[in-house]
């Protein structure tokens, strides 16, 4: 196995692992992994979509099982009682539609998994619906960045964006320093 192949393998495992964990833990959106991967290797966008959806589906089942087993105790550190009641009511009222719509939107998927388990939704229906929604979202995101990666030079844009961020941070620092001097003096 060549070094490049090893890095590609670990990228894929890393994406699967992150997608699985973020589906039942409050981690940043899957796009933080999908976007750089799709920009670095645009030809693998379908593979990355499938890996993201598979990992999210497995992680969703884990979150569902945790919530099914431990009920509201599993959600206490993530939401208050009022939010849990509202989420559970929405899941019972809209069922799989809530899962599907939540799955294609930026709603944190770990909450969907916990609420589905809490409301005792059928695990297999939840997993199928959630997996399909996450696959559609991953395909859309990966396809979009595949197209952008081909059209734009992201290395050049990244350099200019980095320069702008540094200038902004310096301006902000000097403004705060000036404001604290004028208040103190």
């Amino acid at each position: 196995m060549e070094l490049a192949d090893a890095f590609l393998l670990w990228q894929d495992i890393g994406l699967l692992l992150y997608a699985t964990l973020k589906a039942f833990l409050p981690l940043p959106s899957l796009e933080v992994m999908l976007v750089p991967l799709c920009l670095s290797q645009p030809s693998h966008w379908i593979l990355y979509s499938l890996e993201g959806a598979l990992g999210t589906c497995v992680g969703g089942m884990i979150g569902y099982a945790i919530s099914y087993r431990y009920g509201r105790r599993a959600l206490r550190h993530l939401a208050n009682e009022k939010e849990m009641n509202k989420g559970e009511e929405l899941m019972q009222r809209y069922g799989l539609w809530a899962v599907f719509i939540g799955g294609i939107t930026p709603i944190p998927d770990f909450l969907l998994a916990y609420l589905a388990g809490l409301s005792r939704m059928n695990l297999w229906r939840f997993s199928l619906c959630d997996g399909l929604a996450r696959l559609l979202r991953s395909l859309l995101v990966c396809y979009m960045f595949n197209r952008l990666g081909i059209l734009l030079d992201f290395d050049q844009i990244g350099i200019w964006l980095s320069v702008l961020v540094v200038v902004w941070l310096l301006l902000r620092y000097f403004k705060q320093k000036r404001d604290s001097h004028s208040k103190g003096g």
Side-chain angles (χ1 to χ4, degrees):
M1 177 184 291
E2 289 185 35
L3 188 60
D5 293 333
F7 280 120
L8 183 59
L9 173 67
W10 288 108
Q11 256 177 210
D12 295 333
I13 291 170
L15 175 59
L16 271 169
L17 180 61
Y18 186 81
T20 301
L21 292 174
K22 79 140 323 294
F24 69 95
L25 296 172
L27 297 172
S29 178
L30 186 59
E31 283 77 13
V32 301
M33 293 287 289
L34 287 177
V35 170
L37 288 172
C38 287
L39 291 176
S40 70
Q41 295 191 327
S43 63
H44 291 104
W45 70 275
I46 292 176
L47 176 65
Y48 295 145
S49 299
L50 293 171
E51 290 171 353
L54 176 64
T56 304
C57 189
V58 170
M61 293 171 81
I62 293 169
Y64 176 99
I66 291 169
S67 182
Y68 191 90
R69 171 86 166 91
Y70 296 104
R72 292 179 176 277
R73 289 180 296 173
L75 278 170
R76 289 210 200 290
H77 67 285
L78 302 172
N80 63 39
E81 196 68 30
K82 183 179 176 184
E83 292 169 330
M84 283 189 274
N85 289 338
K86 185 176 180 177
E88 190 174 18
E89 178 186 321
L90 285 171
M91 289 301 251
Q92 289 174 346
R93 184 173 181 186
Y94 297 106
L96 293 176
W97 282 110
V99 173
F100 186 78
I101 291 170
I104 58 174
T105 63
I107 292 173
D109 47 356
F110 70 91
L111 288 177
L112 292 173
Y114 282 107
L115 290 170
L118 187 63
S119 64
R120 303 290 198 233
M121 184 179 284
N122 179 286
L123 172 64
W124 300 111
R125 288 183 182 174
F126 161 75
S127 297
L128 183 63
C129 186
D130 187 50
L132 178 63
R134 297 296 169 177
L135 176 62
L136 291 174
R137 180 177 171 165
S138 293
L139 283 168
L140 178 65
V141 167
C142 290
Y143 178 76
M144 181 180 72
F145 279 97
N146 168 272
R147 296 286 100 199
L148 280 175
I150 291 170
L151 297 174
L152 300 173
D153 181 4
F154 274 96
D155 288 336
Q156 192 68 23
I157 291 171
I159 291 169
W160 283 108
L161 186 59
S162 298
V163 169
L164 287 173
V165 168
V166 169
V167 168
W168 177 77
L169 288 172
L170 287 172
L171 289 172
R172 188 171 162 200
Y173 169 77
F174 287 120
K175 182 181 182 298
Q176 286 177 345
K177 192 171 184 172
R178 185 191 66 197
D179 290 347
S180 67
H181 254 332
S182 63
K183 289 179 185 177

